[in-house]
Amino acid sequence: MQGSTPQHVYAANLKQEFGYPLRTPKPNSRLGQPYVKEGLQIGDVGFVDDDGEFIWLFNSKFPLSDSDKLEKLPEEFHNRTLTPPDTFIEFPEPVLKHGFDPETVFTFGVERNLLPERQRRATYEFTATSKTGAILILPGGATLSKLEDKQKLKEFRQHATKYALQWCQYAERDSLYLITAAYKTKTWTLGSFYEGLPGKEILVHQQSGENTTVYRWEHQFNVHHRQGPGDNDGDNQTVLVQGFRITMRWDWLRMIERVERPERWFARVLATFWPIRKSLRWLSQTKIEHVPTRNLSQPVHPLDVINRVLLDKNPRAKVAVTHDNAWIEMLENGLSHADLMQEDRVREFIQDRYTWDLDPEHSAVYLRSKPENTNSQIEPECNPEDSSTLSPLSDDPRFTVTNMRLENIDIDRIHAGVSILIQFGNTTRRTENKPHASVIEWDDLITLPSDLPINVTVCAAFQLGSMLGTRPICTVQTIDTTELTGGTQIVRFSVGKVESCSSLLITLVRHVSYSEPHWSDDEDSVFVEQTKLGFKALYSHHDEPKNEYLEDSLECFRRALEQCGLHTAYRATALFNLATARFIKYRAYGTYNELNMSIALYGEALKLRNSGDPDRAATSLLLAQALVLRYGQESDESTVMQIKDILADIHPDCSRHHRTADIVMRTCRFYQAFDSGNPVELDELLRDLGCHAYAPPYGFSDRPHMLYKLSVALWCRFQRLGELGDLELAISTLSNVIGLTPHGHPDQAGRLNNLGGCFLTRFERLGELSDLEDATSTHRDAVDLTPDGHLDKPSRLSNLGNSFRARFLRLGELSDLEDAISTLRDAVDLTPDGHPDKPRCLSNLGNSFTTRFERFGELSDFELAIAIHREAVDLTPDGHPDKPSRLNNLGSSFRTRFERLGELRDLEDAISTLREAVDLTPDGHPDKPGRLNNLGNSFRVRFKRLGELRDLEDAISTHRDAVDLTPDGHPDKPSRLSNFGISFRARFERIGEPSDLEHAISTHRDAVVLTPDGHPDKPSHLNKFGISFRARFERLGELRDLEDAISTHKEAVDLTPHGHPHKPGRLSNLGLSFTTRFEHLEEPSDLEDAITLYSHSASVPIGPISVRFHASQNWILWARRMRHPSLLRAHSIAINLLPQLAWIGLSLTHRYAELKRNADVAREAAAAALDSGFPELAVEWLEQGRSIVWGELLQLRGSYEQLSSAHPDHACRLRELSAALEGAAATREKHLSTFSESTDDPMHRATLTLQQVADTHRTLAIERDKLLQEIRRLSGFERFLLPKDFSQLRASAHSGPVVILNAAETRCDALILLSDVDHVIHVPLPNFTAFQRSTDLQGILKSFLRNALVGRTDQIERWDRGTWESFLSPLWKCVVEPVMDALAFSMPGELSRIFWCPTGPFVFLPIHAAGLYDAEYSAPGHKVFDFVVSSYVPTLSILAPSRNTHMAHNDDFRLLAVRQPTDGSQLSQLPGAHTELEHIKKSLG
């Protein structure tokens, strides 16, 4: 019914007095740029379809030339033989004026909640007050384009009347619209509902950018909403229209010689079992709302009711022409909105307040207001001989029906014929069974009594020739003939529901004696009864789809067939009925056996129907269509020959039968080309089919399957060639397929899944947010309709997960990312091993884990991503078309891990993998540019790491290819331009060529301009753009460039949401621009801003560690320079980041390299703490910064006694993980290719490659980190294995004083720890303050050792005492003696134990030998060993006392000691080594 169409719901509920609302205001893009730019124009002629779009036919002022006719007209008009009328009307330019104010909102069925802005949860808030309603929001208001000249309006009406027949003939419609006014806007959003929940809220969020507006609707029931583009230069979106409604009588229209519609009775038979209205209702639930409406009536318009009344009042009129002003005026004069759509109320209102004029020349009727003081209606003159005119009847008791006409009846397409059943008393009379059309007339003569009530029923049947199996569609009404008066009378009834426009006109004449044909049913009673029961069950299935109804119908039709002998006259009918029921079951449930059975039954029925049988052609066509369906699945060429033979006896004329046969054969050829897999053949077929291929006539039973195959062909060609037109046609075709697919059909979910994939691809190509929303909702519907256990459930879940991930990347909603991972994980879990879709599901899941890592920085996500991508690649066979895509994903993951962890092996793996992906991608493939882009990025990253210029040249060349191959308008074009610009800037920084820098700025500018506001990549492109501006300033010194850099970086920072992983880098880049300006202008505020930005960058918990650590170093640098109070906090942040920079999951080589690069971090932090008077803090930072590797190695070997006693399970897991992690690290360092442990160990790993060893190492480190976080959530273990504070550290001095020697750039200090002293004894070393002094002594020592010659005897060679004195004396005077004094070691005596903990250059100086060695100092008291026995410790933790002081004696104690060999080694002998080893051996027994 029309009442369920989206436009009808919207228009019927948006009740206002400005015009008729359009649910699709956007102009049709197929009509050319001028039309799209302006939108609807005054003088446009067309109609409104069920989706609320004005279908434009032509403009009454401007003729169409032959060249642009096909371009501008909709597809369904391309094959018309008639042209638009060549007579046009001239009129002045319309008046353009203000229409609606900004923020205008029209509503019905809802109440707007006007709250203070601070209390609002959304831009617009509504509460539903009714089950049906509509909302139109015009944030920018609207302009009104209107033809105001009343004389011109009158000429418009006359013009429309004159050419109404031609226009309706051309459009093949009984009703058209001539536009005289239009309300237009730039941006809008609207919604409607018809199953609402009163009291529930509807929220509309408006998100505005510089040039666009996006709306997000939230609702607790189904609301069909849409929005405009919001980025127009002018008002071209038409939300309301006014104009003339032109309505023709169908009986006059069908007299006109015109192009016959392809939709006839045979086209309705089994086109689809479900009526269009149910398809539309289901489509509205899935948000796939636009379906082809060429042969459907337009949505109900108020003028339809008014014009129908006028035509009924004037039987001689052929056309009624009425302006929208009429119903608007009626509303103003008191007619309610509800009454406006009720014909009886409109009739009364017109009778009371209006009159009409009849134009005899054009047989047209017009409505006009009744003159004042006129209380009666002047009826048109009646002709008593005209059977359509009312006249009195005499009292004769008998009547005869002479004519019946059924108009606009809405029946299901399953039926072939329609008849009228008239019952009075025990007598039944039935008319001829006629093909369904918009108007059906019967001239059957049926005599009726005048003393009995007469029941009239409209019926429909499957066949024309047989009167069995008719279905009552509706009982029209009971006629009481006793109330009829007059000789001839037309009785008109509405058919169906109140809002239906269907009607039945019955002409009754008195005193006419006609011979009446006798209708009798003399068929076998069992046969008739079973046939009727079969149809009853079949219709029950139609009303409430259940398999049991179909089974009942099949059983009844089987019994009916059993009653027919081989030569019974009704056997063909019985076979046909049973075949039809089986065919319906196949179409409804996809049961392939039912298709084969229906083919066999249709074949038998065809043999029994000779050439004179009225149903032979229909049987032939249905059999051929069933065979086409089977051929579409089996591709058996013998089936094509069989189809040709069946259709051979259909005459090659212009009949509907021949046209359908032609469609069947074209479908066969299409399947042949499709199954051949030959792209050339398929391309040729698509060209040959032209518009027919994309819009085969409705009613062809194989239409859904054919269109589905066509959409697949178009999709494949798009994948091959990347032509956007193929993708657009694929989407349009699939939308048509879904509109023709009944709800619950087994193919419904699969077709929705494919449509969702097309929407997602178009979003990736064009970036339209509406496509992304359509993709997500359509994929969700596909999943919901797929039962658990279905083989395709995993793949559809995977596609839904991809849509969620794409929406997260576009909108940044974290819930979408979590939904993506959850859905994709389900898809992988449900896909059995060995299934061909397993690699694809894995690859999609890996992409989502990568996305979550990029958002939150969790290494566990990334390790999972790489492992999953590697598995996907391994499971994809060589030569598979998806192999390059999966290699690309894996290679990109390797590069991302390198950027996070810095392992060079990852970068090499990334380049080799991405190179393979590019090599395997054929030229012309739409994914080639993206893979080239990724490879170029990896080349540039390797250049940055290794400095090889060749890598940079490769990066620029590869990025250039990626940009050149990316079409303009592609959503990835900006990002590829941005990467291209980075490579240019890198070459400028290396070579210094100014042109490279200009190229970089130009490409970055293009990237920013091409990226729409609100796009998540906009901040990234701005950030890179700002870096290039700063580089040009540093080269040329133009302050304008620096200002541009700062403003661009500011915008990048402002657009980056809090918590985004790239926020620290963008903050740091902005800070760098401020410090650059400070160095140039010396404005203190710039430095203050820079320090603030660096502090924010370093302090956020999310983002790359290297970026945050680098920000902390800049923070320290500038805070120290201006003595900023945040200096200590900056050092604290840097100290805390250092362990993450040298993460335990990295190789030892890598960790030590990181610590070596940042060796001074802890020393400088300690110096800053000492400057501020916090020596205890200095000790804590030195311990924390110097014991990263050593301390963690000790932790791995810990016994965790306290944890074991409180939480033994956690302690056990930690010991197992620590042991496995230590073993993995050792294996990795030794470059072994395998790592294995016993099978009962929870950390068991099978034989592993070197790469797998590294993966295992990282995985174990991640698991251990997570376990430590879990332990620290336990009561009493909040500081478990975290850095110790001073109160804990001083216990390390239990065996003697511990002296930390710290050497920083600005000062050197000794920090003494005593176990019984609660503070640090701070000994500044003022005579050793120059850092260079310690490094100089280190250099002297190295020189001594190189020149020292040690003999091969047991005698120690004599040294040059003068030289050593000059070296050891400063150590005593400047370092050791101040420490001895602080410890009060003034006189030699019993030697004490002392532990030296040197840092920096002190590590290489012989502190234990410091002293004065001249002869005059030969007495004790001038050397360190006169006072103490010296030992060295790398950290304080190594001296920490054990918690377990009662360890049991272990008889299995062993020691490995190795001495220098005494054989003929070329090495210099180490004196005393042999003797020392013997002493150790003796001591151990």
Side-chain angles (χ1 to χ4, degrees):
M1 297 296 295
Q2 291 171 332
S4 66
T5 67
Q7 169 64 13
H8 180 75
V9 173
Y10 175 65
N13 285 285
L14 196 71
K15 298 175 179 177
Q16 41 70 40
E17 291 76 36
F18 296 99
Y20 185 65
L22 299 180
R23 190 170 174 272
T24 305
K26 185 177 180 180
N28 193 325
S29 60
R30 293 181 299 171
L31 299 180
Q33 188 58 35
Y35 180 86
V36 172
K37 182 178 180 180
E38 299 294 333
L40 286 182
Q41 302 296 306
I42 305 304
D44 282 349
V45 177
F47 58 91
V48 180
D49 70 3
D50 281 337
D51 199 42
E53 179 181 358
F54 186 86
I55 304 301
W56 183 88
L57 302 179
F58 54 86
N59 189 281
S60 59
K61 180 178 181 180
F62 303 104
L64 289 176
S65 64
D66 293 336
S67 61
D68 64 2
K69 187 182 303 175
L70 290 182
E71 175 187 353
K72 291 187 176 181
L73 291 182
E75 286 179 5
E76 56 263 36
F77 290 90
H78 286 190
N79 62 339
R80 300 293 171 83
T81 58
L82 296 177
T83 60
D86 55 5
T87 302
F88 297 86
I89 185 172
E90 292 293 332
F91 54 85
E93 288 298 318
V95 175
L96 187 64
K97 60 182 183 179
H98 175 74
F100 300 126
D101 293 331
E103 298 300 326
T104 296
V105 178
F106 294 108
T107 62
F108 179 80
V110 299
E111 180 180 340
R112 185 175 180 185
N113 306 327
L114 296 175
L115 300 174
E117 185 173 355
R118 64 180 181 275
Q119 298 179 16
R120 293 182 195 167
R121 291 173 294 157
T123 313
Y124 305 95
E125 299 183 15
F126 307 93
T127 301
T129 59
S130 173
K131 289 187 175 181
T132 63
I135 301 169
L136 171 62
I137 300 174
L138 302 174
T143 57
L144 172 61
S145 176
K146 186 175 184 180
L147 185 65
E148 292 193 328
D149 189 325
K150 293 185 178 180
Q151 180 60 33
K152 280 298 176 184
L153 282 176
K154 182 177 180 181
E155 293 178 13
F156 257 51
R157 185 189 65 190
Q158 295 171 348
H159 187 74
T161 304
K162 181 178 180 180
Y163 294 105
L165 289 177
Q166 294 184 42
W167 290 356
C168 292
Q169 172 190 2
Y170 171 71
E172 296 184 5
R173 289 185 173 271
D174 63 343
S175 182
L176 294 175
Y177 223 143
L178 171 59
I179 302 297
T180 63
Y183 288 89
K184 301 180 185 180
T185 185
K186 291 182 180 179
T187 179
W188 52 269
T189 185
L190 58 85
S192 60
F193 56 91
Y194 61 93
E195 294 178 350
L197 299 175
K200 298 297 183 180
E201 288 187 319
I202 302 173
L203 305 180
V204 183
H205 303 268
Q206 179 179 336
Q207 301 171 351
S208 299
E210 183 177 348
N211 295 316
T212 188
T213 303
V214 178
Y215 303 93
R216 182 166 59 85
W217 289 64
E218 292 184 27
H219 37 83
Q220 297 170 294
F221 53 87
N222 197 15
V223 178
H224 308 300
H225 56 82
R226 51 180 51 176
Q227 65 182 42
D231 55 357
N232 297 331
D233 293 331
D235 294 342
N236 70 339
Q237 311 281 304
T238 307
V239 292
L240 297 164
V241 293
Q242 294 180 14
F244 287 101
R245 189 75 162 187
I246 305 165
T247 305
M248 291 290 300
R249 284 189 187 275
W250 261 106
D251 52 347
W252 283 100
L253 182 61
R254 68 194 186 100
M255 292 181 186
I256 303 172
E257 182 180 356
R258 61 184 177 88
V259 177
E260 192 170 348
R261 294 174 185 249
E263 183 179 358
R264 289 298 186 218
W265 68 269
F266 67 88
R268 292 180 174 85
V269 178
L270 296 177
T272 175
F273 183 71
W274 307 102
I276 286 296
R277 63 178 180 268
K278 288 196 173 183
S279 297
L280 285 174
R281 182 179 299 116
W282 171 75
L283 285 172
S284 67
Q285 295 170 354
T286 60
K287 297 185 181 178
I288 307 166
E289 301 160 354
H290 186 76
V291 297
T293 56
R294 170 185 169 192
N295 292 321
L296 298 177
S297 297
Q298 301 179 51
V300 174
H301 187 288
L303 292 181
D304 291 328
V305 180
I306 295 173
N307 282 353
R308 192 159 58 240
V309 170
L310 291 176
L311 290 173
D312 285 348
K313 290 284 187 179
N314 298 270
R316 293 181 178 179
K318 303 174 186 177
V319 61
V321 180
T322 310
H323 196 274
D324 281 305
N325 290 337
W327 64 268
I328 294 174
E329 181 182 278
M330 290 181 183
L331 292 175
E332 293 173 349
N333 290 335
L335 187 66
S336 68
H337 283 91
D339 289 344
L340 185 62
M341 304 307 293
Q342 301 297 322
E343 189 168 322
D344 55 345
R345 281 293 294 122
V346 172
R347 187 184 301 272
E348 294 174 4
F349 201 82
I350 291 176
Q351 182 79 20
D352 182 53
R353 297 172 179 256
Y354 292 86
T355 184
W356 52 82
D357 291 331
L358 185 64
D359 182 347
E361 180 181 358
H362 301 112
S363 301
V365 61
Y366 313 127
L367 184 71
R368 63 180 174 87
S369 298
K370 183 181 293 187
E372 294 183 5
N373 301 323
T374 302
N375 298 320
S376 61
Q377 172 67 50
I378 302 176
E379 296 282 355
E381 182 179 355
C382 299
N383 184 357
E385 297 178 358
D386 190 340
S387 63
S388 64
T389 305
L390 303 179
S391 60
L393 288 174
S394 65
D395 296 331
D396 194 280
R398 294 190 62 82
F399 303 90
T400 299
V401 174
T402 61
N403 178 269
M404 284 182 283
R405 184 173 70 182
L406 187 61
E407 297 179 345
N408 300 327
I409 185 66
D410 182 15
I411 70 166
D412 303 334
R413 293 170 178 267
I414 190 174
H415 301 105
V418 183
S419 61
I420 304 297
L421 185 68
I422 297 181
Q423 297 172 299
F424 48 91
N426 296 323
T427 303
T428 300
R429 296 289 182 262
R430 189 192 302 274
T431 65
E432 178 187 356
N433 196 23
K434 289 194 173 184
H436 174 234
S438 296
V439 176
I440 311 172
E441 283 197 75
W442 293 268
D443 294 324
D444 305 60
L445 302 179
I446 302 175
T447 303
L448 306 175
S450 60
D451 56 349
L452 292 175
I454 301 168
N455 295 321
V456 183
T457 305
V458 180
C459 302
F462 277 94
Q463 305 178 72
L464 292 177
S466 171
M467 293 306 296
L468 291 174
T470 58
R471 180 196 187 193
I473 299 176
C474 56
T475 298
V476 179
Q477 195 167 335
T478 299
I479 304 174
D480 187 355
T481 56
T482 61
E483 296 181 0
L484 296 178
T485 59
T488 301
Q489 185 165 346
I490 298 177
V491 182
R492 186 183 189 113
F493 304 105
S494 295
V495 179
K497 296 182 179 180
V498 175
E499 67 269 18
S500 172
C501 63
S502 305
S503 60
L504 175 66
L505 290 84
I506 302 177
T507 303
L508 300 107
V509 178
R510 185 168 182 254
H511 287 311
V512 181
S513 178
Y514 294 98
S515 60
E516 184 179 336
H518 178 67
W519 300 81
S520 64
D521 295 330
D522 56 358
E523 296 89 341
D524 179 83
S525 60
V526 177
F527 171 75
V528 172
E529 181 64 24
Q530 290 300 318
T531 300
K532 291 181 178 180
L533 289 175
F535 278 109
K536 181 179 179 181
L538 202 59
Y539 294 136
S540 296
H541 171 76
H542 168 273
D543 295 332
E544 185 181 2
K546 289 184 179 180
N547 186 53
E548 57 204 64
Y549 290 146
L550 276 180
E551 294 299 333
D552 289 345
S553 70
L554 287 171
E555 182 61 27
C556 292
F557 288 141
R558 274 194 292 266
R559 291 174 184 170
L561 181 60
E562 291 172 357
Q563 302 300 313
C564 302
L566 294 178
H567 304 289
T568 305
Y570 299 106
R571 182 173 179 81
T573 296
L575 288 166
F576 184 92
N577 291 340
L578 182 57
T580 299
R582 288 191 177 277
F583 203 12
I584 289 173
K585 184 175 181 180
Y586 165 72
R587 300 294 286 172
Y589 298 104
T591 311
Y592 190 63
N593 183 57
E594 299 296 345
L595 177 62
N596 289 327
M597 292 296 294
S598 66
I599 290 173
L601 292 167
Y602 278 134
E604 289 187 50
L606 185 62
K607 292 177 183 178
L608 296 176
R609 285 177 165 165
N610 55 36
S611 58
D613 193 306
D615 289 316
R616 178 175 174 82
T619 307
S620 298
L621 290 171
L622 285 171
L623 174 58
Q625 292 175 39
L627 288 168
V628 165
L629 283 176
R630 185 165 70 181
Y631 175 69
Q633 301 189 34
E634 293 184 349
S635 302
D636 184 355
E637 289 301 319
S638 63
T639 304
V640 179
M641 299 305 299
Q642 187 179 358
I643 293 171
K644 290 181 179 179
D645 293 340
I646 292 171
L647 299 178
D649 61 348
I650 295 182
H651 300 292
D653 52 18
C654 295
S655 68
R656 56 182 181 267
H657 296 155
H658 178 260
R659 287 196 299 275
T660 302
D662 180 62
I663 294 171
V664 171
M665 291 311 304
R666 276 195 282 116
T667 305
C668 287
R669 291 194 297 273
F670 171 79
Y671 287 153
Q672 286 176 306
F674 182 86
D675 294 331
S676 70
N678 187 326
V680 176
E681 291 185 15
L682 191 58
D683 291 346
E684 291 178 353
L685 180 66
L686 291 176
R687 284 195 300 270
D688 293 342
L689 290 176
C691 63
H692 299 287
Y694 306 132
Y698 290 94
F700 178 37
S701 67
D702 198 33
R703 175 181 173 84
H705 194 64
M706 175 186 177
L707 287 175
Y708 176 71
K709 289 275 191 177
L710 175 62
S711 69
V712 173
L714 291 165
W715 168 256
C716 292
R717 191 165 70 175
F718 166 76
Q719 291 288 88
R720 177 165 48 89
L721 303 178
E723 291 290 337
L724 189 59
D726 286 334
L727 180 60
E728 297 286 356
L729 283 173
I731 291 175
S732 174
T733 307
L734 266 175
S735 298
N736 291 347
V737 170
I738 291 169
L740 296 171
T741 304
H743 185 63
H745 190 280
D747 291 336
Q748 181 185 4
R751 292 166 181 174
L752 281 168
N753 177 70
N754 288 356
L755 179 60
C758 290
F759 278 134
L760 185 58
T761 301
R762 189 167 68 178
F763 163 75
E764 293 168 348
R765 181 68 179 269
L766 301 179
E768 289 288 340
L769 188 58
S770 59
D771 282 332
L772 182 56
E773 295 297 340
D774 287 340
T776 305
S777 63
T778 309
H779 276 141
R780 184 184 284 112
D781 292 334
V783 168
D784 292 343
L785 290 171
T786 305
D788 293 337
H790 194 284
L791 292 178
D792 291 329
K793 185 88 169 187
S795 65
R796 291 166 190 168
L797 283 166
S798 188
N799 291 335
L800 176 59
N802 286 343
S803 294
F804 281 135
R805 175 174 173 265
R807 192 163 68 177
F808 165 76
L809 292 173
R810 181 66 175 84
L811 301 178
E813 290 289 339
L814 295 179
S815 59
D816 283 333
L817 181 56
E818 294 306 319
D819 287 341
I821 291 177
S822 173
T823 306
L824 290 166
R825 201 193 298 270
D826 290 342
V828 170
D829 293 342
L830 291 174
T831 306
D833 293 338
H835 193 283
D837 280 346
K838 188 83 170 186
R840 184 176 70 88
C841 295
L842 285 166
S843 184
N844 293 336
L845 179 59
N847 289 337
S848 289
F849 276 123
T850 299
T851 301
R852 191 164 70 178
F853 164 77
E854 292 170 347
R855 182 65 176 83
F856 296 107
E858 286 288 338
L859 281 174
S860 57
D861 284 335
F862 204 58
E863 292 303 318
L864 275 173
I866 290 183
I868 291 170
H869 279 313
R870 184 180 284 115
E871 184 178 359
V873 169
D874 294 341
L875 292 176
T876 305
D878 293 338
H880 193 284
D882 290 335
K883 187 86 169 186
S885 172
R886 287 157 198 169
L887 286 166
N888 179 72
N889 291 336
L890 178 60
S892 299
S893 297
F894 279 138
R895 186 187 69 247
T896 303
R897 188 166 69 183
F898 166 78
E899 292 170 343
R900 174 64 173 83
L901 302 179
E903 296 277 5
L904 189 59
R905 176 62 181 272
D906 282 333
L907 184 55
E908 298 298 337
D909 288 343
I911 290 176
S912 62
T913 307
L914 289 170
R915 196 194 303 272
E916 185 180 0
V918 169
D919 292 343
L920 291 176
T921 305
D923 292 338
H925 194 285
D927 290 336
K928 185 97 171 186
R931 291 163 193 169
L932 285 166
N933 179 70
N934 289 336
L935 179 58
N937 289 342
S938 297
F939 280 136
R940 188 183 63 244
V941 170
R942 188 166 69 178
F943 161 77
K944 185 178 180 180
R945 174 64 181 269
L946 302 179
E948 291 289 338
L949 190 59
R950 177 62 186 169
D951 282 333
L952 186 54
E953 296 298 336
D954 288 341
I956 290 176
S957 173
T958 308
H959 279 309
R960 179 179 286 109
D961 291 341
V963 169
D964 292 343
L965 291 175
T966 304
D968 293 338
H970 194 286
D972 289 334
K973 185 90 170 187
S975 64
R976 290 165 193 170
L977 283 166
S978 186
N979 289 327
F980 194 18
I982 296 174
S983 295
F984 273 130
R985 188 179 67 240
R987 189 166 69 178
F988 163 77
E989 293 169 349
R990 174 63 180 271
I991 299 176
E993 180 62 42
S995 62
D996 283 335
L997 185 55
E998 294 305 320
H999 283 312
I1001 291 177
S1002 175
T1003 52
H1004 283 312
R1005 180 180 288 108
D1006 290 342
V1008 169
V1009 170
L1010 291 175
T1011 305
D1013 292 336
H1015 195 283
D1017 288 343
K1018 188 90 170 186
S1020 174
H1021 301 331
L1022 287 165
N1023 180 64
K1024 297 166 186 175
F1025 195 17
I1027 294 173
S1028 293
F1029 275 133
R1030 188 175 65 243
R1032 189 164 68 179
F1033 165 77
E1034 292 170 348
R1035 174 60 184 267
L1036 302 178
E1038 292 287 341
L1039 189 59
R1040 177 61 186 172
D1041 284 331
L1042 186 55
E1043 297 298 335
D1044 288 340
I1046 291 176
S1047 63
T1048 307
H1049 279 310
K1050 277 184 177 179
E1051 187 176 359
V1053 168
D1054 292 342
L1055 292 176
T1056 305
H1058 296 299
H1060 194 283
H1062 293 312
K1063 187 88 170 186
R1066 291 164 192 168
L1067 287 165
S1068 188
N1069 283 329
L1070 178 56
L1072 185 56
S1073 293
F1074 274 122
T1075 55
T1076 302
R1077 190 167 70 179
F1078 169 77
E1079 292 175 322
H1080 187 72
L1081 301 178
E1082 297 185 353
E1083 182 65 40
S1085 62
D1086 283 339
L1087 197 52
E1088 283 285 353
D1089 291 339
I1091 289 175
T1092 301
L1093 291 165
Y1094 286 138
S1095 66
H1096 289 168
S1097 175
S1099 303
V1100 294
I1102 292 178
I1105 298 299
S1106 59
V1107 172
R1108 291 153 56 195
F1109 183 78
H1110 183 69
S1112 72
Q1113 295 306 289
N1114 284 331
W1115 182 8
I1116 291 170
L1117 174 66
W1118 294 104
R1120 183 167 56 199
R1121 179 168 175 174
M1122 68 177 301
R1123 301 183 181 276
H1124 198 273
S1126 67
L1127 178 60
L1128 285 185
R1129 183 166 179 269
H1131 279 296
S1132 176
I1133 294 292
I1135 289 291
N1136 289 326
L1137 289 175
L1138 196 57
Q1140 301 177 56
L1141 198 65
W1143 178 54
I1144 195 172
L1146 300 172
S1147 66
L1148 277 175
T1149 303
H1150 188 173
R1151 299 178 73 195
Y1152 279 127
E1154 289 289 351
L1155 293 174
K1156 184 178 180 180
R1157 280 194 292 269
N1158 302 283
D1160 62 340
V1161 170
R1163 300 198 306 270
E1164 296 299 332
L1170 292 170
D1171 286 339
S1172 300
F1174 300 107
E1176 289 77 19
L1177 180 61
V1179 170
E1180 292 174 1
W1181 281 352
L1182 283 169
E1183 179 68 12
Q1184 184 177 343
R1186 286 176 41 77
S1187 63
I1188 293 173
V1189 176
W1190 182 256
E1192 287 175 344
L1193 286 175
L1194 290 177
Q1195 289 178 5
L1196 292 179
R1197 300 179 184 183
S1199 56
Y1200 320 120
E1201 294 92 347
Q1202 187 176 358
L1203 181 65
S1204 296
S1205 61
H1207 302 281
D1209 292 341
H1210 287 79
C1212 181
R1213 286 172 54 200
L1214 181 58
R1215 280 192 292 270
E1216 291 172 345
L1217 279 171
S1218 298
L1221 181 58
E1222 184 179 13
T1227 302
R1228 187 174 183 183
E1229 289 306 308
K1230 294 175 183 178
H1231 292 260
L1232 297 177
S1233 60
T1234 61
F1235 168 73
S1236 62
E1237 298 181 13
S1238 60
T1239 56
D1240 58 349
D1241 192 308
M1243 292 298 108
H1244 169 70
R1245 296 293 185 272
T1247 301
L1248 304 173
T1249 65
L1250 179 60
Q1251 182 61 55
Q1252 289 171 317
V1253 169
D1255 292 344
T1256 301
H1257 184 202
R1258 284 188 295 268
T1259 300
L1260 290 169
I1262 292 169
E1263 292 178 12
R1264 184 175 179 272
D1265 287 346
K1266 288 185 175 180
L1267 179 58
L1268 289 175
Q1269 293 174 9
E1270 182 180 339
I1271 292 172
R1272 288 166 188 156
R1273 288 193 290 269
L1274 300 175
S1275 177
F1277 291 88
E1278 292 81 2
R1279 298 286 303 171
F1280 183 73
L1281 295 187
L1282 288 176
K1284 299 176 180 178
D1285 58 23
F1286 176 74
S1287 63
Q1288 296 171 301
L1289 290 174
R1290 68 187 179 93
S1292 300
H1294 58 84
S1295 297
V1298 179
V1299 181
I1300 302 173
L1301 298 175
N1302 187 57
E1305 283 285 350
T1306 57
R1307 62 183 297 157
C1308 291
D1309 300 270
L1311 304 173
I1312 304 173
L1313 280 72
L1314 298 173
S1315 60
D1316 55 351
V1317 177
D1318 61 0
H1319 62 274
V1320 172
I1321 301 174
H1322 177 206
V1323 182
L1325 303 176
N1327 297 323
F1328 211 75
T1329 54
F1331 184 81
Q1332 189 62 39
R1333 178 77 178 273
S1334 60
T1335 56
D1336 288 345
L1337 288 177
Q1338 178 185 343
I1340 294 172
L1341 177 61
K1342 290 180 179 178
S1343 176
F1344 287 167
L1345 295 176
R1346 281 196 301 268
N1347 297 328
L1349 298 176
V1350 180
R1352 296 180 181 274
T1353 66
D1354 289 338
Q1355 300 298 321
I1356 300 178
E1357 182 176 331
R1358 294 188 302 273
W1359 291 355
D1360 182 346
R1361 289 189 177 274
T1363 304
W1364 282 100
E1365 168 64 23
S1366 64
F1367 174 73
L1368 296 173
S1369 174
L1371 280 180
W1372 170 259
K1373 293 178 180 179
C1374 300
V1375 178
V1376 177
E1377 188 174 27
V1379 171
M1380 295 297 105
D1381 292 342
L1383 291 172
F1385 291 158
S1386 57
M1387 296 295 292
E1390 184 178 352
L1391 297 180
S1392 298
R1393 187 79 178 270
I1394 194 169
F1395 298 90
W1396 301 100
C1397 185
T1399 70
F1402 280 123
V1403 172
F1404 300 97
L1405 299 179
I1407 306 297
H1408 63 283
L1412 303 176
Y1413 287 89
D1414 289 342
E1416 60 185 288
Y1417 301 113
S1418 59
H1422 300 288
K1423 303 174 187 62
V1424 64
F1425 47 76
D1426 292 335
F1427 300 95
V1428 295
V1429 176
S1430 296
S1431 296
Y1432 292 95
V1433 291
T1435 67
L1436 298 177
S1437 299
I1438 199 172
L1439 295 175
S1442 173
R1443 292 181 179 273
N1444 189 351
T1445 59
H1446 304 285
M1447 292 183 62
H1449 176 70
N1450 189 348
D1451 294 333
D1452 196 31
F1453 176 76
R1454 299 180 182 183
L1455 175 68
L1456 174 64
V1458 181
R1459 66 175 174 82
Q1460 186 180 33
T1462 57
D1463 54 11
S1465 173
Q1466 298 299 316
L1467 297 174
S1468 300
Q1469 289 188 1
L1470 184 63
H1474 180 74
T1475 304
E1476 186 175 357
L1477 186 60
E1478 290 299 324
H1479 282 301
I1480 294 174
K1481 183 177 180 181
K1482 183 178 179 180
S1483 299
L1484 294 176

